[in-house]
Amino acid sequence: MAFQFASTNLVIELSVLLAALLGWRFMAAEFVGGPIMIVLVVIFLRATLKPRILEAARAQAMKNLPGKMEGHAAMDMSLHTGTFWQKLTSAKGYTATTHYYWMDWYSLWPDIAGGLLISGCLAAWVPQHFWQGFFLVGHPLLAKFWGPFIGPLVAIFSFVCSVGNVPLAAVLWNGGISFGGVISFIFADLIILPVLNIYRKYYGLKVAAILFVAFYAAMALAALAVELVFNALHLIPTDRRVMIMQESIRWNYTSILNILFLIASAILLVRFLKTGGPAMLRMMDEAPAPDAPAHHCCH
């Protein structure tokens, strides 16, 4: 579970997006709150997951019920021979790079597209006074405690996880949610409804319920700790006019970077299509047999 939290909330791409949309203080808060949250999760799970409960979870896991992208677990797309430079410049290394690249896009595009769509709809359709009333903007002290506990609830019903939740977090920040509320909302991508359903399949309903309660409590309390620490250090931003998206097409450095990355993606796509990439993506959605050999994309 510690690995799951770290791989979701303490990753470089999330940091880049947080810094770009919300500023470096939010990025710093994510890295301060992440370890606190992991420690709290360990404490809560140590207290609740007794041996008989763990055995029941293992028995459920042995049923091999499919979750999402199960086929990825049986894949080995790394190179095991040669120096780093040889791997980087070889044909097999080029193929592995293209497969990794398009596999990541395949797994992340629903979250990114959903996050942009939901955040755009909420920014355009939900009036500002609703957010201000919902987040108790008129009660500053109460809002500091309310935000970290309501943030995960908003995340649960928004269905957005990974980096796709950062644009929606920006909408919530513009709407008046507390600093800690933004952090707890971003943390909560591990308890959205589709992920909770995967916990149920993997570990059973009882363990899934325990995970939900433990995760929710850890996310809220860690975000509250971040709120209090950053407030004491005067690091909480006061500007709530975050620009989530441009309202018109402009020619600037972003346009140039978009063109360069589209060209690079097109080059990688050609190699991907010629080396069995689509078949690899289809395998990701299939549950592998327990004794099935690892799939090698580039050997």
Side-chain angles (χ1 to χ4, degrees):
M1 295 303 160
F3 169 80
Q4 181 172 292
F5 271 82
S7 63
T8 305
N9 294 293
L10 301 176
V11 289
I12 294 176
E13 62 267 28
L14 180 63
S15 304
V16 171
L17 197 56
L18 279 171
L21 281 185
L22 290 166
W24 69 268
R25 291 177 176 86
F26 287 91
M27 181 184 70
E30 186 80 4
F31 277 93
V32 171
I36 297 174
M37 179 174 56
I38 291 172
V39 170
L40 291 174
V41 166
V42 171
I43 293 173
F44 293 153
L45 294 184
R46 288 277 186 177
T48 55
L49 291 181
K50 303 302 181 182
R52 60 180 180 82
I53 299 177
L54 286 174
E55 287 304 318
R58 288 192 181 96
Q60 176 69 19
M62 292 301 293
K63 296 179 181 179
N64 292 320
L65 297 180
K68 184 180 180 182
M69 294 172 57
E70 292 292 329
H72 184 217
M75 293 182 181
D76 181 8
M77 295 190 291
S78 59
L79 303 182
H80 301 284
T81 59
T83 64
F84 173 78
W85 180 250
Q86 288 172 335
K87 294 176 181 178
L88 188 65
T89 56
S90 67
K92 291 181 179 179
Y94 181 29
T95 300
T97 300
T98 64
H99 282 229
Y100 268 115
Y101 178 79
W102 286 104
M103 180 191 71
D104 285 340
W105 266 115
Y106 179 75
S107 60
L108 286 177
W109 81 263
D111 300 322
I112 296 174
L116 293 173
L117 177 62
I118 294 173
S119 61
C121 291
L122 292 178
W125 298 340
V126 178
Q128 194 76 358
H129 63 80
F130 170 82
W131 292 123
Q132 292 177 349
F134 186 65
F135 296 135
L136 305 180
V137 174
H139 306 275
L141 181 60
L142 186 58
K144 291 182 183 297
F145 292 89
W146 174 247
F149 288 92
I150 199 62
L153 188 63
V154 177
I156 290 171
F157 293 102
S158 67
F159 290 83
V160 182
C161 65
S162 189
V163 295
N165 61 4
V166 179
L168 183 51
V171 171
L172 300 180
W173 176 247
N174 286 345
I177 195 173
S178 68
F179 185 75
V182 172
I183 301 304
S184 68
F185 170 81
I186 295 172
F187 283 157
D189 58 354
L190 289 176
I191 56 173
I192 63 172
L193 295 178
V195 177
L196 289 175
N197 187 47
I198 292 176
Y199 296 155
R200 180 189 61 82
K201 291 180 179 180
Y202 282 173
Y203 312 119
L205 182 59
K206 185 173 183 178
V207 173
I210 293 174
L211 291 178
F212 168 70
V213 174
F215 287 2
Y216 198 121
M219 293 163 181
L221 291 175
L224 180 59
V226 168
E227 174 86 36
L228 298 176
V229 170
F230 275 60
N231 185 60
L233 297 175
H234 304 288
L235 290 177
I236 295 180
T238 56
D239 185 11
R240 290 185 177 271
R241 295 170 298 173
V242 176
M243 187 182 72
I244 304 168
M245 59 193 75
Q246 295 179 168
E247 296 180 355
S248 60
I249 298 175
R250 301 175 185 177
W251 179 257
N252 52 25
Y253 75 94
T254 303
S255 308
I256 297 173
L257 289 176
N258 285 339
I259 292 173
L260 292 176
F261 277 99
L262 284 173
I263 293 173
S265 295
I267 294 172
L268 294 175
L269 178 61
V270 172
R271 180 74 174 190
F272 176 79
L273 294 174
K274 289 183 176 180
T275 54
M280 181 270 294
L281 292 185
R282 287 192 294 270
M283 289 181 62
M284 288 177 60
D285 289 326
E286 299 174 358
D291 56 347
H295 168 72
H296 298 274
C297 80
C298 355
H299 298 280

